[in-house]
Amino acid sequence: ALYRESKVNPLSSCLPVLIQLPFLLGIYWALQAVVGGTSFDFLYPFVPHPGTLRTVAFGFLPLAVPSIALAVAAGAAQWWQARMLMQRRPPASVAAKGGKDEDMMAMVNKQMTFMMPIMTVVIGIGLPAGLSLYWLVTTLLQVAQQKLLMRPKVIT
């Protein structure tokens, strides 16, 4: 009832990550299968088999091996996105009317602003670079979407 009255969704900060999880797992399995030489003929019989797939993107970025730089970039982009979502704390006079639950939730949100990007870096270091690249690109697209949606409205 408190969440409904305050119009606060406790899952709003982790929902984008949960939505991405099936895609991350799918890309991980696909990259593992490509590196292992598994054929996907049973999935798309109408697509001719390419023989081999190149695991190097843009001519210099190997996607089949972990990349620390991409993992750190994905974590930094996720931190940037989380900072954009953080709301400003209300003035002390308004905050005094709120309960201790609001302070606790603000503290947890602040911790998650730093913990989720750190977890992204730690996980990304151990996974193929293609997964970190996907994580980075989708996060940057989300940042662009947020900037577009959060810009001040011009009344004409």
Side-chain angles (χ1 to χ4, degrees), residues 58-80:
F58 312 116
F60 66 91
L61 182 62
L63 298 177
V65 295
S67 170
I68 294 173
L70 276 177
V72 170
Q78 200 169 34
W79 177 82
W80 183 27

Side-chain angles (χ1 to χ4, degrees), residues 119-131:
M119 287 176 52
T120 299
V121 171
V122 169
I123 292 169
I125 287 174
L127 296 175
L131 195 56

